[in-house]
Amino acid sequence: MSAVTVQNLVKTYASGGRRATDDVSLEVADGEFLVLVGPSGCGKTTLLRMVAGLETPDSGRVSIGGRDVTDLPARERGLSMVFQSYAIFPHMRVRQNIGFGLTMRKVPRDEFDRRVARAAELLRLTDYLDRYPAQLSGGQRQRVAVARAIVVDAAVLLMDEPLSNLDALLRLQFRAELKRIVSQLGTTTLYVTHDQAEAMSLGDRVAVMRDGRVAQLGPPLSVYDRPSDRFVGGFLGSPPMNFLTARVRDGLLAIGDASLPAPDQLSTWDGRDVVVGVRAENIQVSAQARPGWLPARVEVVEPTGAALLLTVRLGDEQLKVQAPTTFQATPDQPLHLYAPQDSLRFYDPETSLALPLTSPSAASSPSPVTSPSP
Amino acid sequence: MSRRRRWHRAAVQAACVAITLFMGVPIYLIALAALSSRESLNRFPLPLLPTDPSTETMSTFLSSTGVTGGFLNSLTVGLGTVALALLVGVPGGYAVARYAFRGRDTYQLFLLLTRALPIVVLSVPLARVFLDTGLYDTTYAVMLLHTALALPTTVLITAAIFVGVPHEQEEAAMIFGASPPQAFLRVVAPQALPGIAAAAMFAFMLSWNEVLGATVLTLNQRTLPAQVLTTLADSPLAYRFAGGLALVLPALVFIAVMRRYLLNMWGTTLR
């Protein structure tokens, strides 16, 4: 009913020169929570604002629920939005702020009261309805902004970094609350953030954006597990994915002086360099040498509470490794590393794109996967 | 350190008192002279306390010909100027604050150029134009001149205040169903009220005090300052004080009324 479809959206700002969004197409299914994530300046907010109708695209179409809304003003698109700066009205009490959309729709008094009360209850604002925003804390103002957005029962909910102005603890609390509220409502949601942890935890699907394009779109875990290029792997996850250069030689993968058996996937890459990507939590550590394990040296030990984050040196490369807290590690200590073959991802060193999962048929040249289907 | 700070604070206090006296004493003296009998004014030494209050001078002045008419004309022109200046200047200020258009900075600079021209230079050609159009010797003529004089400050003051209202709030209003004019009236205007009040005050004061243009552009429909200037030049000293008080009081009342809007209405300073 209220799917959002974006087709070939192009937007160039007069001051920018390069394109803020470069031919972006994507679809948010009805009731889906899609997160746009990427570093600042990647075009995610521009994309959201074009869907909202606050920005006019140079070309391309936006449709909501099958209706082309590209040329409609924001107020006729049937959506609601939470802004990064909250954008609640300082001269109105919380009640009027939450009910603003209802006032504009000329909702009758008793229905206004009922719906505002419900939204306030959902966001635990009932005791604050008669206050002015200046008398609220940052977290409460954020709740007001969310309550104002959900009270109108719009078909599509847009959120522009709604948690970025909250402190770390509050952000974590409110993130879970937001997820609960949005899944209760079942509204189609498009959510923008630069925080990869937020993207992973909230989205049904995640679109990682870079330089005005969608680099990868898929369910959070599959994007995390199988990044389609080095950028995505390096952006999602904390610590980011490790990348090391290795040479494929006679069915072996040579990393520095050591080597591992190479998977079939690399059979056509014999004699060439590949980039190996591996997540910190997929690397196992051991103080003793074992057959097939790679020797390395500890450089930095950072306890994170739940685990130990080790920075280790493997030949010329630096790796982040997540070790159990029981592992005894001191700087300069030698240790041995092992990563199961199915946790290794391979990238073309020139294009930075992921190599195809299965070995291509003998004759064809290796063509990297550009967009693995989610 | 703390001693220096104490000195600093005392100096600030002294400066405040000095400035207040500088502004207040003349008003007090005028009021004193205007409300004393004509005889006590010539006494020596002049008493600085109202020892012999009398409303005689004041009532004679107020009932003299042209004063009531001038007062009403001044009020009409003043309020008309405020209305016109806000009507034209507030949208102008909004445009300067919100939209990036070619030549915006130059425009802001040249806005003040109207004030660089002496009023006499402006009003003589204006008198001709008004004579041709039949506006000469009407309050509208003076109103138009005063509006032109007040507009630059109206635009600049309101622009400064509109910059302080985040654009995202307007966008939020539009997302939730407001048209652009509704967003302005419901969200921006209430928050810009202090600035609009300041601009209104400024326009009114300018109009209330302006003499030269009003004198050139009218014969019979004189505003109070123009009337006072021409008739009181040859009057006894006491009546000049009465005229001064009659000019100062309405201005003070207007400021007192508008001051309410200058102060904040919802418990925080704007931005």
Side-chain angles (χ1 to χ4, degrees):
Chain A
M1 272 306 282
S2 52
V4 177
T5 314
V6 166
Q7 286 170 305
N8 310 100
L9 274 191
V10 175
K11 172 81 186 177
T12 311
Y13 286 112
S15 54
R18 68 182 180 83
R19 288 175 167 185
T21 64
D22 191 0
D23 204 20
V24 174
S25 298
L26 53 83
E27 186 170 343
V28 193
D30 184 31
E32 186 185 25
F33 197 126
L34 181 79
V35 179
L36 296 172
V37 65
S40 57
C42 72
K44 55 193 191 299
T45 295
T46 305
L47 182 59
L48 188 83
R49 290 173 57 85
M50 285 192 284
V51 173
L54 298 173
E55 214 74 69
T56 318
D58 300 343
S59 64
R61 314 303 296 173
V62 176
S63 44
I64 294 173
R67 186 172 62 126
D68 189 329
V69 297
T70 317
D71 301 316
L72 290 183
R75 65 179 186 280
E76 288 167 30
R77 293 190 177 198
L79 39 79
S80 79
M81 183 162 171
V82 180
F83 289 82
Q84 180 173 13
S85 64
Y86 314 150
I88 53 178
F89 311 126
H91 60 295
M92 296 182 194
R93 293 179 191 276
V94 170
R95 185 188 308 279
Q96 275 72 39
N97 260 293
I98 295 178
F100 186 83
L102 303 177
T103 311
M104 297 316 296
R105 283 167 180 72
K106 300 199 167 57
V107 166
R109 185 77 220 173
D110 52 339
E111 191 188 341
F112 177 99
D113 287 340
R114 203 177 60 241
R115 286 168 72 172
V116 168
R118 212 194 82 213
E121 196 180 334
L122 207 55
L123 284 144
R124 293 191 267 117
L125 285 168
T126 310
D127 296 339
Y128 303 99
L129 281 176
D130 290 316
R131 294 211 190 169
Y132 281 110
Q135 299 163 309
L136 300 179
S137 70
Q140 289 165 335
R141 285 180 214 180
Q142 180 57 4
R143 288 167 195 282
V144 174
V146 173
R148 180 179 64 179
I150 64 171
V151 81
V152 291
D153 284 335
V156 176
L157 179 59
L158 307 176
M159 300 204 207
D160 185 9
E161 310 217 13
L163 304 183
S164 64
N165 282 340
L166 300 180
D167 61 57
L169 186 66
L170 211 54
R171 193 181 310 169
L172 213 58
Q173 281 175 2
F174 200 50
R175 195 165 83 191
E177 211 170 319
L178 202 61
K179 189 167 184 171
R180 174 179 62 87
I181 291 169
V182 173
S183 71
Q184 259 177 33
L185 296 172
T187 318
T188 309
T189 306
L190 191 56
Y191 185 106
V192 162
T193 180
H194 66 269
D195 181 345
Q196 53 88 21
E198 218 169 282
M200 297 280 303
S201 75
L202 286 173
D204 293 330
R205 282 195 300 157
V206 171
V208 185
M209 288 190 68
R210 181 199 196 184
D211 295 339
R213 291 166 175 272
V214 176
Q216 191 174 4
L217 175 62
L221 287 180
S222 90
V223 174
Y224 179 83
D225 194 41
R226 299 201 168 272
S228 66
D229 67 15
R230 285 187 59 171
F231 164 76
V232 176
F235 186 78
L236 283 189
S238 168
M241 194 175 227
N242 294 300
F243 293 103
L244 4 138
T245 310
R247 181 169 282 267
V248 185
R249 198 184 297 132
D250 304 329
L252 287 177
L253 201 57
I255 301 169
D257 300 331
S259 55
L260 299 168
D264 294 346
Q265 189 187 355
L266 297 176
S267 56
T268 56
W269 283 74
D270 199 45
R272 290 200 273 165
D273 282 343
V274 291
V275 173
V276 180
V278 57
R279 292 281 181 194
E281 65 270 24
N282 290 333
I283 303 176
Q284 297 164 22
V285 291
S286 164
Q288 282 90 42
R290 295 186 192 178
W293 290 49
L294 303 176
R297 185 168 291 277
V298 176
E299 287 197 331
V300 185
V301 181
E302 296 169 79
T304 59
L308 276 186
L309 184 62
L310 306 179
T311 308
V312 304
R313 183 158 288 280
L314 176 70
D316 299 332
E317 316 262 8
Q318 223 178 27
L319 296 184
K320 297 281 189 190
V321 177
Q322 194 174 312
T325 43
T326 50
F327 187 75
Q328 299 291 322
T330 48
D332 269 341
Q333 170 201 330
L335 84 172
H336 298 268
L337 307 176
Y338 175 75
Q341 204 178 74
D342 63 3
S343 69
L344 300 182
R345 306 285 172 258
F346 301 99
Y347 297 89
D348 186 322
E350 279 162 29
T351 61
S352 291
L353 295 172
L355 300 183
L357 288 176
T358 51
S359 64
S361 55
S364 71
S365 61
S367 63
V369 174
T370 48
S371 52
S373 53
Chain B
M1 195 57 204
S2 82
R3 187 167 166 180
R4 234 180 92 187
R5 194 178 296 164
R6 206 177 309 151
W7 267 109
H8 181 76
R9 193 177 297 171
V12 169
Q13 292 284 346
C16 289
V17 170
I19 292 172
T20 312
L21 287 178
F22 180 75
M23 306 298 240
V25 166
I27 296 178
Y28 174 73
L29 289 180
I30 289 175
L32 185 70
L35 295 176
S36 302
S37 61
R38 286 180 63 181
E39 296 74 40
S40 67
L41 209 57
N42 297 326
R43 218 175 284 155
F44 188 86
L46 200 62
L48 286 180
L49 292 171
T51 45
D52 185 13
S54 130
T55 53
E56 179 208 328
T57 342
M58 207 60 206
S59 54
T60 318
F61 168 77
L62 287 179
S63 58
S64 67
T65 43
V67 167
T68 320
F71 181 82
L72 288 178
N73 282 342
S74 259
L75 213 58
T76 316
V77 170
L79 296 177
T81 300
V82 169
L84 277 180
L86 291 184
L87 201 68
V88 180
V90 169
Y94 183 80
V96 169
R98 281 287 190 266
Y99 301 108
F101 51 87
R102 194 182 294 268
R104 176 172 67 171
D105 294 344
T106 329
Y107 170 71
Q108 270 178 285
L109 188 68
F110 277 83
L111 261 181
L112 287 170
L113 208 66
T114 27
R115 302 308 307 274
L117 294 175
I119 293 171
V120 185
V121 176
L122 283 175
S123 26
V124 175
L126 269 180
R128 249 219 77 135
V129 174
F130 289 154
L131 275 172
D132 289 347
T133 50
L135 277 176
Y136 188 77
D137 198 20
T138 61
T139 47
Y140 299 113
V142 188
M143 215 184 277
L144 285 174
L145 172 73
H146 288 176
T147 304
L149 292 176
L151 265 180
T153 37
T154 313
V155 171
L156 292 181
I157 292 175
T158 52
I161 219 82
F162 286 139
V163 166
V165 180
H167 190 217
E168 276 198 339
Q169 289 188 13
E170 258 172 287
E171 292 182 338
M174 289 194 257
I175 288 273
F176 292 110
S179 63
Q182 282 174 318
F184 178 82
L185 286 177
R186 284 178 176 269
V187 173
V188 183
Q191 296 186 61
L193 216 53
I196 295 175
M201 222 145 112
F202 212 88
F204 186 83
M205 287 307 121
L206 182 140
S207 167
W208 189 263
N209 291 332
E210 202 280 328
V211 184
L212 221 54
T215 319
V216 176
L217 293 180
T218 52
L219 282 176
N220 300 316
Q221 297 295 320
R222 286 275 151 99
T223 59
L224 192 57
Q227 178 72 24
V228 167
L229 192 75
T230 42
T231 58
L232 285 192
D234 307 318
S235 308
L237 196 59
Y239 292 115
R240 297 191 207 174
F241 285 123
L245 188 63
L247 275 172
V248 164
L249 271 186
L252 287 181
V253 169
F254 187 79
I255 290 185
V257 170
M258 293 312 266
R259 194 173 164 275
R260 217 162 77 75
Y261 299 100
L262 273 181
L263 297 176
N264 206 293
M265 296 185 302
W266 48 90
T268 48
T269 43
L270 202 73
R271 290 255 104 186

